[in-house]
Amino acid sequence: MTTLHHQTGNSVRRTPLLALLLASGASLALIAPSAAFAASDPAPAAPAAQTTAAEPTQAKDDTLTDIVVTASRSGAESLQKVPIAVSVVNVDQITKSNQGNLVDLAKFTPSLSITEGAPGFNKFNMRGLSTGGYASSDTSDRTLVAVYLDDTPISLQGQTPDLKVYDLERVEVLRGPQGTLFGAGSMAGTIRFVTAKPNLTKFFGTAEAGIATTEHGAASYNIRGMVNLPLVSDTLAVRANFYVGRDGGYIDNIGLRNKQNANSNNTYQGRVAVRWTPSSDLTVDGSITYERSIARGLNSAFSGLAPYTILTNGPEGTDDRFRLYQLGADYDAGFANLIVTGAYTDRAIGFDASVEPQIGYFFQDYGSPLTPRTDRYPLFEAPTAYSDALARSLPPEYYQIDQKLKDYMGEARLVSKSGGPLKWTVGVFYEQQDRHLRQDIPVPGFDTLSYMNTFYGPFNVPGGLYNSQTVDKAFQPNDIYSGLQDVNEHQFAAYADWTWHVTDRLDLTAGVRYFNFKEKYYLYSSGFYGVVNGVPLTTNATLKSNGFNPRGNISFKVNDDFLVYGEVAKGFRYGGGNQPVPLGSAGIAGQCTNDLASYGYTSAPLTFGPDKLWNYTIGEKAKLAGGRVTLNVSAYYIDWSDVQSRLRLNCSYFFTDNKGKITSKGLELETSVKATPELTLTLAGSYNSSTANGDIPTVGAFNGDRTPYYPQLTANFQAFYDRPVGSGEMHLQFGYQFQSSQNTTFNNFTTALVAGKLTATGPSQTFAVIPESHNLSASATYNIGNFEFGVYGNNLANGVTVTNIARATYYQVYQAGSRNTLARPRTIGLRAKVKF
């Protein structure tokens, strides 16, 4: 059971902009590869680890620099020669504009949407594959977009760690299912953070500091550094980096919490990597990554209060501690390279919200004979309108979720050498994950102040009063709900991928992945909301699944600068266990029973199975105008079936079932043009139409309804200008990003099954439209010798405001409007960096 739903994602309208987007691409000849703005940095294609302070970062010619990726996991390849839809984000440009959070990645790549409610609480959506928001208490919610740090998956639905984009070679964004090489979590796509590796020959490093001011908010600061140290020349080296920063808050809390700029966030991050090459045939890499993020509030405010203002009576925030240990080796066996990697993840996640409006009715007077008091039920007369004073009188409802996650993974693969007619990769993968979630909702005074004592007491307990712990088996007295979820997962996979170079121009690729998955799921719930007749609800479930997921690809080189390709791939994700829904004839159990019956259920399913999709993509990659222009376009069509869709019941419980089909189709484009040796322009954008293919009763979707939490249109324009000034070099950067509006649900109706047919029964209380966003950013950097000085501004026109909306429903009289997630307003900062 959950009383607070955290949502994330995107949805939309607007079509005129598509014509403008296409016209702009054609007129500028601007349709770039997958590097929306990586191409703007004509630096040598060597890895970042090989760059020192003395080496230039900009080439002084009029052609775009080739970009190298490892997206196919078969070695480094030119981005323009990889026949899949992949984008590359240039980390140096992100750093210059101080846009180094996970959510910033969506600003520079098409078809990716990220919504963030707090650091480490986010959801990734790609290519319109979404059915709604995420529930912070649902351990069975499966990610659709996999996030990797090198070869290690780190994503968790709604809670992917917010690692700062720093000291990386690049970020690769692969669009479309990548199940053959990256597994079940990559059903919609994959994001890869490729770290900079230690340099075995050179000592160098950087140190940087920055400060910023945010409109409506407090000051921010950060310091970061990196050092590369060869210990044994050409044999052993270490590379270490750190980041310490504070993002000033911009939400004021006027409740009993009473704190200005309440949503500040402190981040501590570090990584130590070691590279050892005992021989020319063997390279061993090991690393430890640590991240701690402590947010003192959530990025949300109430729409009925002054801008950037919320009223809660208890603290809110997140606390995320992430530790990752990685070890890998690459051995040249002559005929192929043997690559072995292993990793252990140890993570603890805390989430706190104060949602007392949702339990206000416990403390109100339901009958005129009763006189409100301050020490017992009732606290106040039943209100007819919202009042700040009344909201402050509610006892805090401490909505608390704590999770511990331990993950072990190992992988081994053989990658053939280039040069022959057949290129292949074969591998095996194993992962075990243990996840423990503890949910608790203590409310001070609940046992003695709530209507429980009037409606259900006295109980046979000391004093004749209701006691949450003794009566409803909660973890402690004054608990509305207590719950545990334990998940143990094992998965094994074997995969193979072959490319046949039929001719110098024609390549045929086929791949397949076999998977075998098992999950054990245990749930315990207690407290008033988690019992039936005083008996806690429990679930013990076991889920197994196995199968094959194939892909095929054909590519043809029209010439050395023009590639066309087509791909078909199957995507999948595992199923899971459901939280129980209470059944009965009265109270919450009776309401849940009636809710289930309205959707054709006699009880909630114990488990749900995998869902799957088929993705069809055609695309092209081209270099034009003698290498001064790149143009990459891809179009896709997706059939998604047995969709894992969550049914939220009015009794506040939910469960997931495999219901319905969704069809998604769209167009993606990227272009870069080297207008002059000093000026580079890039444009990236996407159009998506993702709709229900037939009615989907579990989410109240009618045939043709657009999927929620996904924008129909996205666009990103960047301009980069570099030229010598005095004895140094000036770098200017300007950016504009657009996202069209999104809906929070499929439609604006409540629904039920009437005679077996999905029927609208009235207006929805949860439907909302997230407005379109217009983000303007700019930065100026001056390099002189080993020093770099910069100024930057983000969200300069405050064109990005509301990024998510959770409307108040039955508790509207206790809350000042909707709970809106707000983007950071206009921010201007300074930064200074030294290389050594």
Side-chain angles (χ1 to χ4, degrees):
M1 166 273 176
T2 182
T3 58
L4 180 67
H5 301 301
H6 278 268
Q7 299 176 321
T8 14
N10 297 7
S11 167
V12 215
R13 302 178 177 63
R14 252 191 185 196
T15 316
L17 188 64
L18 177 62
L20 176 62
L21 202 61
L22 293 172
S24 300
S27 62
L28 289 174
L30 261 190
I31 307 180
S34 68
F37 78 140
S40 66
D41 182 4
Q50 306 301 319
T51 303
T52 69
E55 293 176 331
T57 59
Q58 296 289 332
K60 302 305 180 185
D61 57 43
D62 60 355
T63 61
L64 293 166
T65 300
D66 195 23
I67 299 167
V68 175
V69 297
T70 53
S72 66
R73 306 192 77 186
S74 60
E77 300 175 271
S78 168
L79 174 67
Q80 289 301 104
K81 298 185 183 302
V82 178
I84 60 174
V86 55
S87 301
V88 174
V89 178
N90 183 295
V91 176
D92 182 60
Q93 303 299 351
I94 277 189
T95 302
K96 283 181 167 62
S97 60
N98 200 52
Q99 299 186 94
N101 297 325
L102 277 182
V103 71
D104 295 321
L105 297 179
K107 299 174 183 177
F108 305 106
T109 57
S111 291
L112 175 64
S113 175
I114 305 175
T115 302
E116 181 182 67
F121 276 74
N122 43 53
K123 188 179 181 185
F124 296 73
N125 288 326
M126 196 177 289
R127 287 189 168 179
L129 302 183
S130 172
T131 59
Y134 69 89
S136 51
S137 62
D138 188 2
T139 58
S140 294
D141 196 4
R142 300 289 181 185
T143 180
L144 285 157
V145 178
V147 179
Y148 274 68
L149 185 66
D150 290 324
D151 282 336
T152 303
I154 62 172
S155 48
L156 193 67
Q157 178 71 306
Q159 296 164 34
T160 297
D162 190 18
L163 297 179
K164 299 296 182 181
V165 182
Y166 178 60
D167 199 31
L168 303 174
E169 288 186 11
R170 63 191 173 275
V171 180
E172 300 176 356
V173 181
L174 291 72
R175 304 187 296 276
Q178 309 295 326
T180 301
L181 295 175
F182 292 99
S186 57
M187 187 168 171
T190 300
I191 298 172
R192 298 187 65 225
F193 292 92
V194 182
T195 62
K197 305 303 186 293
N199 185 303
L200 297 170
T201 61
K202 298 178 181 178
F203 168 78
F204 57 91
T206 63
E208 181 176 342
I211 57 173
T213 178
T214 295
E215 190 173 303
H216 302 292
S220 302
Y221 69 85
N222 65 75
I223 56 174
R224 62 185 77 186
M226 179 276 296
V227 62
N228 186 92
L229 179 64
L231 301 177
V232 179
S233 183
D234 296 323
T235 303
L236 182 65
V238 61
R239 184 178 184 123
N241 65 72
F242 74 92
Y243 175 97
V244 177
R246 178 181 177 84
D247 296 324
Y250 52 90
I251 305 290
D252 293 334
N253 195 328
I254 62 171
L256 298 183
R257 175 68 172 151
N258 191 26
K259 185 176 179 60
Q260 283 192 321
N261 306 319
N263 63 323
S264 63
N265 174 56
N266 291 348
T267 300
Y268 311 91
Q269 183 174 315
R271 186 170 188 270
V272 177
V274 176
R275 169 162 285 190
W276 179 42
T277 57
S279 70
S280 60
D281 298 329
L282 178 62
T283 299
V284 179
D285 285 299
S287 66
I288 299 175
T289 302
Y290 174 84
E291 187 256 357
R292 179 81 183 272
S293 173
I294 306 171
R296 306 298 183 184
L298 306 178
N299 301 337
S300 54
F302 289 154
S303 62
L305 299 177
Y308 300 98
T309 304
I310 196 169
L311 190 158
T312 73
N313 294 332
E316 298 189 309
T318 64
D319 189 343
D320 189 357
R321 187 196 64 195
F322 172 84
R323 291 179 291 190
L324 174 64
Y325 307 86
Q326 296 170 289
L327 182 64
D330 186 335
Y331 176 68
D332 187 345
F335 71 101
N337 280 72
L338 173 63
I339 302 169
V340 180
T341 58
Y344 168 61
T345 301
D346 182 3
R347 190 176 178 202
I349 312 167
F351 176 85
D352 295 319
S354 187
V355 290
E356 48 278 351
Q358 299 183 21
I359 47 91
Y361 60 89
F362 273 102
F363 307 101
Q364 70 184 28
D365 179 5
Y366 284 86
S368 57
L370 296 174
T371 301
R373 307 180 184 182
T374 59
D375 61 341
R376 69 187 69 174
Y377 167 84
L379 291 181
F380 46 80
E381 297 285 355
T384 58
Y386 171 78
S387 161
D388 281 0
L390 181 60
R392 293 189 185 98
S393 72
L394 293 172
E397 180 183 351
Y398 299 110
Y399 181 92
Q400 302 171 342
I401 293 181
D402 295 298
Q403 297 188 64
K404 292 183 179 179
L405 182 144
K406 297 184 183 298
D407 187 282
Y408 310 82
M409 62 79 61
E411 183 176 22
R413 66 184 186 272
L414 275 172
V415 180
S416 68
K417 296 296 184 66
S418 300
L422 189 65
K423 184 179 180 181
W424 50 266
T425 300
V426 296
V428 292
F429 176 87
Y430 175 80
E431 183 177 24
Q432 176 186 334
Q433 185 176 106
D434 297 303
R435 187 175 176 185
H436 174 77
L437 181 147
R438 183 182 190 274
Q439 182 179 356
D440 205 14
I441 310 179
V443 178
F446 174 73
D447 289 354
T448 55
L449 295 177
S450 76
Y451 75 68
M452 294 293 295
N453 292 305
T454 297
F455 289 175
Y456 295 95
F459 289 96
N460 186 23
V461 294
L465 298 176
Y466 172 76
N467 183 292
S468 301
Q469 187 174 38
T470 58
V471 176
D472 286 330
K473 312 303 186 293
F475 293 158
Q476 57 193 337
N478 296 310
D479 260 12
I480 291 180
Y481 178 84
S482 302
L484 298 173
Q485 293 182 64
D486 287 311
V487 181
N488 175 264
E489 297 180 353
H490 295 261
Q491 63 166 304
F492 168 80
Y495 58 89
D497 200 73
W498 303 270
T499 296
W500 177 27
H501 303 298
V502 182
T503 70
D504 290 341
R505 295 187 176 186
L506 177 64
D507 286 348
L508 299 177
T509 298
V512 65
R513 186 183 188 99
Y514 167 77
F515 65 90
N516 190 300
F517 172 80
K518 181 179 180 180
E519 175 187 280
K520 292 183 178 180
Y521 177 79
Y522 168 76
L523 180 141
Y524 169 89
S525 69
S526 61
F528 174 71
Y529 275 113
V531 300
V532 176
N533 297 325
V535 179
L537 298 175
T538 60
T539 293
N540 274 289
T542 299
L543 180 74
K544 298 179 180 180
S545 58
N546 58 75
F548 293 88
N549 285 276
R551 83 174 184 112
N553 184 292
I554 180 171
S555 63
F556 183 76
K557 299 174 186 175
V558 179
N559 56 49
D560 288 343
D561 294 326
F562 186 40
L563 172 74
V564 294
Y565 64 91
E567 184 174 44
V568 56
K570 185 180 180 182
F572 73 107
R573 59 177 173 169
Y574 299 124
N578 271 320
Q579 302 183 22
V581 175
L583 300 174
S585 58
I588 292 175
Q591 183 183 358
C592 287
T593 301
N594 293 333
D595 291 345
L596 286 166
S598 71
Y599 285 94
Y601 290 90
T602 56
S603 63
L606 189 65
T607 63
F608 59 94
D611 54 1
K612 54 187 176 294
L613 61 79
W614 283 97
N615 181 101
Y616 308 89
T617 301
I618 58 172
E620 63 78 35
K621 295 186 175 184
K623 285 186 178 181
L624 308 170
R628 291 188 294 110
V629 175
T630 56
L631 169 62
N632 291 1
V633 181
S634 56
Y636 59 86
Y637 180 88
I638 300 173
D639 274 326
W640 186 10
S641 58
D642 296 328
V643 176
Q644 293 176 9
S645 52
R646 183 185 294 116
L647 174 57
R648 298 181 183 274
L649 301 172
N650 290 332
C651 64
S652 81
Y653 284 81
F654 61 82
F655 64 88
T656 299
D657 202 358
N658 298 96
K659 296 290 185 181
K661 297 181 180 180
I662 288 175
T663 298
S664 180
K665 48 194 173 185
L667 179 69
E668 305 158 333
L669 59 84
E670 295 175 286
T671 182
S672 293
V673 58
K674 191 81 168 181
T676 72
E678 295 84 15
L679 178 63
T680 300
L681 306 173
T682 73
L683 178 69
S686 63
Y687 168 79
N688 172 266
S689 175
S690 181
T691 58
N693 185 357
D695 294 348
I696 310 177
T698 45
V699 289
F702 294 98
N703 181 41
D705 284 347
R706 278 196 53 79
T707 55
Y709 284 105
Y710 197 80
Q712 189 173 25
L713 286 166
T714 68
N716 165 48
F717 172 76
Q718 299 281 331
F720 307 94
Y721 185 75
D722 296 89
R723 66 166 299 162
V725 175
S727 57
E729 183 176 67
M730 179 65 73
H731 171 83
L732 303 178
Q733 181 174 326
F734 169 82
Y736 168 71
Q737 295 91 33
F738 168 81
Q739 278 196 347
S740 58
S741 61
Q742 310 162 44
N743 299 334
T744 59
T745 57
F746 278 89
N747 56 57
N748 191 17
F749 302 108
T750 58
T751 59
L753 286 177
V754 178
K757 181 177 177 58
L758 186 68
T759 304
T761 58
S764 170
Q765 288 188 303
T766 59
F767 175 85
V769 178
I770 301 170
E772 64 184 33
S773 64
H774 304 264
N775 184 30
L776 287 174
S777 62
S779 65
T781 304
Y782 185 64
N783 292 280
I784 181 168
N786 288 338
F787 295 93
E788 180 177 294
F789 304 94
V791 59
Y792 60 86
N794 292 316
N795 203 8
L796 289 170
N798 279 329
V800 187
T801 52
V802 178
T803 61
N804 192 25
I805 300 174
R807 293 182 61 188
T809 53
Y810 61 89
Y811 51 90
Q812 295 179 37
V813 73
Y814 294 111
Q815 183 171 298
S818 301
R819 181 182 275 253
N820 293 346
T821 301
L822 302 180
R824 180 172 292 276
R826 181 185 297 115
T827 299
I828 297 175
L830 302 171
R831 49 182 291 272
K833 180 178 181 179
V834 60
K835 304 175 184 178
F836 56 86

